[in-house]
Amino acid sequence: MHRKVYLKTWGCQMNHYDSDKILNYLKINNHKIVDNYIDSDLIILNTCSIRKKSEYKVFNFLERLRSFKKEKDNLIICICGCLSTQEKEKIFLRNDLIDIVCGPQSIHKLNKLIYKFIKYKKKLIDIKSYKIDKNNINNKIFNYNNIKLNTYVTIIEGCNKFCSYCIVPFTRGKEISRSPEKILDEICYLSNNNVCEINLLGQNVNAYSGIFNNGDLCSFSNLLNLISKINNIKRIRFTTSNPYNFSDDIINAYKNINKIVNYLHLPVQSGSNKILKLMRRKYDIEFYKDLVKRILYVRPNMIFSTDFIVGFPGESEKDFLLTLDLINELKFDHSYIFMYSPRPGTESFYMKDNIDLIEKKRRFREIKYLIDNNIIYWNKKMLNNKYDILVEGFSKKNSKFLFGKTENNRKVYFIGNKNMLGKIISVKINDISNKNYLYGNL
Ligand code: 5AD
Ligand code: SF4
């Protein structure tokens, strides 16, 4: 009983990476993938629950499926991702359309769950942690959906930090690192299939601590070093780093490994020590600034992006102004701004959510304004300078133009030829009139 599968994904890069794995896993089990749910008889929703809004989106989408499910008797609806571990069995009560619930660590069990459901017609749930076994299926058969030039690879999953606002430790579980051999195998396989830029993934990627087959420990900086030795890999990115785990050996890796890009996403959340303490971030702003300084010492051209939460319980105007000061001081580039959203079961859920939505929105806009100016600030610095670009493809609008990305994530268009595809090419930036994409000359 093979199925026609439609999958929709919400949330972070890891969820998208997991979705790719789900699709490929189902493909090798002879299911067919379709692009429109109307053509499907199995709908998988890979969900996120980081904020209330993410949750709403899933339940709204489910309601849109109600009439389709009525028409299609044998339709199976499956919930994967963080909403499944957040809600557990309760989710069946929240929406009666759901047939199967499969947690983020159980996706390699999905095929079995589907067959079991077809056989017994009983609602099923598997949200067990299988020590991220899901990633360790032999990647030679575990083909990627669309191999691109740049790809994510999960190296660690979960979180032990328990920031007071965050649901992730409850949904993704404890930090578990994959074996270095398995990671290197996967990257070698990808690099033999044209991938030249790798983005290592983890909720706390720099907390990576793997164990070699011989029992030796492999730190994050060890792993970076080993990956950098793979010839075809030209660029290494990683996300998301936690300031708390940013040890000296990782800073040293920046000194010694040119392949690691000059761009770092380092979530700060707030510029106020009072708020950082309430958030249980385990660092203060002095520590964060000093870390940035130490990284800039070995990499003077490093650009930082970050995450902010606005309207955390108790965030006064004074606290908020400290965040604005920090943005002006450190010149954060493209960054994510979130309005605080209380999540059930977290520590801050029990604090009074005292900043109203209008005020949260104002704080959001003020930060966005500064960040947009910073983006232009960095673009201006790029004008008339040469940057290496990983050439990804031809422009859809004008096929004379190729495009690619700089280390600092700028999309740059330039006139070139098809031999440049997949290569790193040096381009001089000559037009920054648009904030979101630039033009250059060879
Ligand atoms: N409310 C708003 N933003 C949140 N984040 C995590 N939990 C919450 C929450 N409850 C943000 C943080 C984190 C990013 C992934 O999502 O900024 O870094
Ligand atoms: Fe959303 Fe966090 Fe889960 Fe990713 S790990 S899907 S961001 S809740």
Side-chain angles (χ1 to χ4, degrees), residues 50-51 165-166 267 269 307-309 338-343:
I50 192 102
R51 284 167 289 277
Y165 51 82
C166 191
Q269 313 298 357
D307 289 349
F308 301 102
I309 297 179
F338 303 104
M339 287 183 277
Y340 171 70
S341 165
R343 305 310 292 132

Side-chain angles (χ1 to χ4, degrees), residues 10-15 47-50 82 167-168 171-172 203:
W10 289 268
C12 59
Q13 290 106 330
M14 194 177 284
N15 243 22
T47 64
C48 172
S49 63
I50 192 102
C82 290
I167 193 85
V168 171
T171 58
R172 293 259 171 190
Q203 280 79 27

Side-chain angles (χ1 to χ4, degrees), residues 340-354:
Y340 171 70
S341 165
R343 305 310 292 132
T346 62
E347 192 183 331
S348 69
F349 186 74
Y350 302 97
M351 300 176 187
K352 190 160 187 284
D353 182 16
N354 65 330

Side-chain angles (χ1 to χ4, degrees), residues 279-294:
M279 288 177 165
R280 293 210 186 279
R281 285 293 287 177
K282 297 193 174 82
Y283 57 82
D284 58 19
I285 220 58
E286 289 70 31
F287 174 92
Y288 186 92
K289 282 194 210 169
D290 184 60
L291 174 59
V292 166
K293 202 165 117 196
R294 285 184 292 134

Side-chain angles (χ1 to χ4, degrees), residues 159-315:
C159 182
N160 303 341
K161 304 290 184 296
F162 290 93
C163 296
S164 63
Y165 51 82
C166 191
I167 193 85
V168 171
F170 305 96
T171 58
R172 293 259 171 190
K174 280 204 295 254
E175 283 165 10
I176 299 177
S177 298
R178 286 177 73 190
S179 103
E181 283 93 350
K182 294 266 165 54
I183 295 169
L184 292 165
D185 258 11
E186 183 166 342
I187 298 178
C188 281
Y189 168 75
L190 290 166
S191 78
N192 289 333
N193 284 280
N194 294 332
V195 172
C196 46
E197 181 178 302
I198 268 310
N199 197 339
L200 306 174
L201 281 185
Q203 280 79 27
N204 286 294
V205 74
N206 57 330
Y208 176 82
S209 175
I211 300 172
F212 287 106
N213 291 339
N214 68 4
D216 288 352
L217 271 180
C218 177
S219 68
F220 183 53
S221 57
N222 283 153
L223 185 70
L224 288 171
N225 203 24
L226 291 168
I227 295 171
S228 74
K229 302 262 160 47
I230 302 174
N231 259 342
N232 289 347
I233 297 298
K234 295 176 186 144
R235 276 182 182 171
I236 305 171
R237 300 181 187 271
F238 47 84
T239 196
T240 300
S241 297
N242 192 313
Y244 178 79
N245 293 101
F246 223 100
S247 45
D248 286 343
D249 57 318
I250 306 175
I251 300 180
N252 255 326
Y254 273 115
K255 196 158 90 189
N256 302 327
I257 307 171
N258 287 334
K259 291 181 178 184
I260 310 177
V261 297
N262 264 331
Y263 200 81
L264 179 62
H265 186 66
L266 194 64
V268 67
Q269 313 298 357
S270 167
S272 152
N273 280 338
K274 180 187 108 192
I275 297 299
L276 289 175
K277 207 165 175 194
L278 287 172
M279 288 177 165
R280 293 210 186 279
R281 285 293 287 177
K282 297 193 174 82
Y283 57 82
D284 58 19
I285 220 58
E286 289 70 31
F287 174 92
Y288 186 92
K289 282 194 210 169
D290 184 60
L291 174 59
V292 166
K293 202 165 117 196
R294 285 184 292 134
I295 298 171
L296 282 171
Y297 184 74
V298 293
R299 284 286 185 102
N301 294 325
M302 182 71 88
I303 299 178
F304 294 86
S305 65
T306 197
D307 289 349
F308 301 102
I309 297 179
V310 291
F312 188 80
E315 187 190 59

